[in-house]
Amino acid sequence: MKKLSIWFISTLVLVLGFTSCELNEELENDPEVEIVVDNKEGSAVYSFEAKTSGMEDAQLIWTVDGNVIDGENQNDIINQVLDYLFESGEHTICVKLIKGDLVREACVDIDVTVDENNPCPDLFFRKEQYEEPYSYKFFADFEEIDSLSYGWFVNGELVEDSSPDERNYFIYNFKEPGTYEICIKAETPDCPEGSSYCKEIVVEEPNRACPEVAFEKEMEAGSVNTYIFESIIEGTDEVTEINWFVNDDRIENATDPQGGNRVLRYQFEPGVYKVCIQVITPECPEGVKYCKEIKVKGDCPEISFEIAQEGSDFGYNFFPRAFEGIDESDTTLEWYANDTFLGKSGEFPHNNPFYTQLERGQYLICLVVKTNSCPEGVKSCKLLQVGEPIISCPELSFELEQDGDNPAYYFYPGNFEGVEDVSSEWFINEEYVGSSKGLKDPFYYQFNPGTYEICLLIETPECPNGVKLCKEIVIPE
């Protein structure tokens, strides 16, 4: 009995020992998560990385001020890093990791203060997959977007320039899977060294079990802005489900046992829309998506404007003529001088003229109006002379070249800026005899013996009264 008791106690100690070791090991390896914050001082753009241990392959859920990052904003999450553009003020960012029954969460508080004295723009962009498998769309999103020119770079190479009057997005088709650095960069007179913002994206090999998906569209005959979208599905005969989306709102959701839902009929209001089709198959349970942007045109307003000088300086007010919808929030009035963006009209533009100050010179002033029914815009322009005209005439010269032994000559105007775009008028003894254009189109004339005064006259927009140069030539008997 004594031996049996000793054996029982020894066994109990061993069991408790093993259990204690397992508990200690579990406590020592308790999964943790922390958030590492990266920010350039004075910038509203932040990057947050979830540093984890013991929770590999866990599901991550990010929240900003209690709002879950989902939908299109989900595209700002790359692996375990969240990029975000904030408004000024205090914000709370949290990340929750879920793996089975295990949940861990970490939060961080930040106080966003934008440096208003920094002359360099605070750049940012968002991304989304555009068309399978390798096409992505990048949206520029920053405060100065309406007045700044910038460039898009892929792995350090400039691939597209953009200006304020152009679209704010860039579509790029990557040729193969891999890791790519996408950057947006801009330089200004106040920021000559430039400013940039970059994201690293991973373009993954598509799931070969998924079909190739696309669609074709056409307007329904006799309809008003009603389009027919017909799906194109290649690589499978078994389709579980087809979903259609317009601006991320699902329009239809049906199973496809007998070909249903392969065609979408949809009537649009004028505007810009993103239309997508999602196809789910047994081999591709997460589905494959294909999207296109379409612009539905409507009626554009008839626009015009008046110009009034303010005071004796070169300040001007531009008064747009009122039209239906001019004061609506989704109507924009953009002003340009010689294709340079000046700015946008503020609220209530028909009672609030746009003011700008110009230098002496001649300007083509243009108003571009964009509305929901006229997304591509309509333009009206006027010529404005600021101050007295600046007269700048070219310095003329010309050369003569005899045509062999004949009493005939070629006359070549001298080179000056713009010579290829103006006509050279030729006179002999004050009589007009013809014209030529550019350096490769000489004037040719055959003479009789005698003495002649040959004159070249050129007029340009900067030299409206013209400038003249004459030479004397003697043709012997």
Side-chain angles (χ1 to χ4, degrees):
M1 244 347 244
K2 186 176 180 181
K3 289 183 179 180
L4 184 60
S5 299
I6 294 173
W7 176 84
F8 175 76
I9 293 171
S10 300
T11 304
L12 181 61
V13 169
L14 286 173
V15 170
L16 290 174
F18 282 124
T19 304
S20 175
C21 289
E22 288 177 2
L23 289 173
N24 289 336
E25 184 178 353
E26 183 177 333
L27 290 173
E28 289 174 2
N29 297 324
D30 188 32
E32 296 179 352
V33 57
E34 65 172 326
I35 298 176
V36 177
V37 182
D38 185 21
N39 166 253
K40 183 179 179 181
E41 186 176 356
S43 170
V45 178
Y46 280 69
S47 181
F48 306 93
E49 182 178 4
K51 291 284 190 180
T52 64
S53 62
M55 290 194 73
E56 289 72 19
D57 302 322
Q59 178 189 1
L60 275 76
I61 299 176
W62 289 93
T63 60
V64 174
D65 297 331
N67 299 313
V68 176
I69 300 299
D70 56 10
E72 289 189 1
N73 290 330
Q74 187 75 21
N75 293 305
D76 292 325
I77 300 173
I78 303 173
N79 295 328
Q80 296 185 177
V81 177
L82 167 67
D83 289 342
Y84 204 84
L85 175 64
F86 288 91
E87 299 287 339
S88 296
E90 296 181 352
H91 301 275
T92 300
I93 297 86
C94 296
V95 64
K96 182 182 292 184
L97 275 72
I98 303 173
K99 188 174 184 180
D101 295 330
L102 192 61
V103 178
R104 292 291 183 271
E105 185 174 16
C107 296
V108 63
D109 294 322
I110 61 172
D111 188 356
V112 178
T113 304
V114 178
D115 184 0
E116 302 293 345
N117 297 318
N118 184 0
C120 294
D122 199 10
L123 304 179
F124 188 70
F125 66 84
R126 306 181 187 279
K127 73 172 180 69
E128 68 175 33
Q129 188 154 6
Y130 186 60
E131 294 177 359
E132 298 283 0
Y134 303 139
S135 184
Y136 281 77
K137 190 173 184 179
F138 303 91
F139 299 86
D141 182 9
F142 52 89
E143 186 175 350
E144 301 91 343
I145 195 168
D146 292 329
S147 60
L148 190 66
S149 295
Y150 48 92
W152 294 96
F153 294 77
V154 176
N155 287 347
E157 181 180 350
L158 176 65
V159 292
E160 186 169 303
D161 281 317
S162 187
S163 61
D165 57 330
E166 296 178 342
R167 64 190 188 185
N168 72 321
Y169 61 84
F170 157 62
I171 298 173
Y172 192 78
N173 186 33
F174 297 92
K175 295 181 179 179
E176 58 186 5
T179 301
Y180 297 86
E181 184 186 56
I182 312 300
C183 294
I184 185 172
K185 300 181 181 182
E187 295 179 4
T188 68
D190 296 328
C191 182
E193 295 183 358
S195 178
S196 65
Y197 171 74
C198 300
K199 280 185 182 180
E200 190 176 84
I201 72 165
V202 178
V203 179
E204 297 180 346
E205 184 76 31
N207 185 349
R208 296 303 178 186
C210 293
E212 292 186 14
V213 174
F215 60 76
E216 294 178 343
K217 70 175 178 67
E218 63 178 14
M219 184 174 286
E220 187 177 64
S223 71
V224 178
N225 295 337
T226 297
Y227 284 80
I228 304 296
F229 301 89
E230 186 171 353
S231 63
I232 301 172
I233 304 171
E234 298 179 354
T236 184
D237 294 327
E238 295 184 51
V239 175
T240 306
E241 189 175 331
I242 297 178
N243 298 313
W244 292 93
F245 300 84
V246 175
N247 288 348
D248 296 322
D249 295 326
R250 188 163 64 183
I251 304 304
E252 296 186 23
N253 181 18
T255 56
D256 192 41
Q258 297 177 346
N261 218 28
R262 288 180 178 259
V263 176
L264 170 66
R265 178 182 181 274
Y266 195 86
Q267 185 173 23
F268 296 88
E269 295 294 327
V272 180
Y273 298 87
K274 182 177 73 172
V275 179
C276 300
I277 183 175
Q278 181 193 41
V279 176
I280 298 172
T281 68
E283 294 78 20
C284 184
E286 294 183 357
V288 60
K289 208 170 190 180
Y290 175 85
C291 302
K292 276 186 180 179
E293 183 180 85
I294 70 166
K295 294 181 179 181
V296 181
K297 295 182 179 180
D299 294 330
C300 292
E302 292 185 10
I303 65 171
S304 64
F305 63 94
E306 299 297 329
I307 301 174
Q309 187 172 0
E310 184 173 294
S312 58
D313 60 5
F314 295 153
Y316 289 85
N317 283 312
F318 301 150
F319 295 86
R321 189 188 74 178
F323 57 85
E324 185 178 353
I326 186 173
D327 290 331
E328 293 181 1
S329 60
D330 52 11
T331 296
T332 60
L333 284 76
E334 301 173 348
W335 297 95
Y336 297 83
N338 293 345
D339 293 328
T340 298
F341 180 73
L342 298 177
K344 290 183 179 181
S345 289
E347 292 183 336
F348 309 112
H350 79 283
N351 287 325
N352 183 18
F354 179 83
Y355 176 82
T356 190
Q357 207 158 10
L358 301 169
E359 300 292 331
R360 183 189 301 272
Q362 192 175 69
Y363 298 88
L364 184 66
I365 305 298
C366 292
L367 166 63
V368 176
V369 174
K370 298 177 182 177
T371 68
N372 269 344
S373 62
C374 186
E376 294 184 340
V378 58
K379 179 188 282 189
S380 175
C381 299
K382 285 187 176 183
L383 198 63
L384 173 65
Q385 177 65 49
V386 177
E388 294 296 323
I390 300 174
I391 298 176
S392 176
C393 295
E395 186 174 340
L396 294 188
S397 64
F398 65 87
E399 300 295 332
L400 294 75
E401 179 183 330
Q402 188 172 1
D403 183 14
D405 296 329
N406 299 314
Y409 283 80
Y410 294 97
F411 297 89
Y412 294 89
N415 193 8
F416 60 87
E417 185 177 355
V419 65
E420 296 295 343
D421 299 321
V422 299
S423 293
S424 302
E425 310 293 336
W426 299 95
F427 296 80
I428 297 179
N429 292 343
E430 298 185 352
E431 291 187 7
Y432 175 76
V433 290
S435 66
S436 63
K437 190 170 184 179
L439 302 174
K440 298 179 181 179
D441 178 26
F443 175 68
Y444 183 82
Y445 193 83
Q446 187 161 353
F447 295 88
N448 292 318
T451 300
Y452 300 88
E453 183 186 54
I454 312 299
C455 293
L456 165 63
L457 173 67
I458 285 181
E459 296 179 2
T460 69
E462 296 78 18
C463 184
N465 295 325
V467 60
K468 195 174 186 179
L469 176 66
C470 299
K471 287 184 180 182
E472 189 178 90
I473 181 173
V474 177
I475 306 297
E477 294 281 347

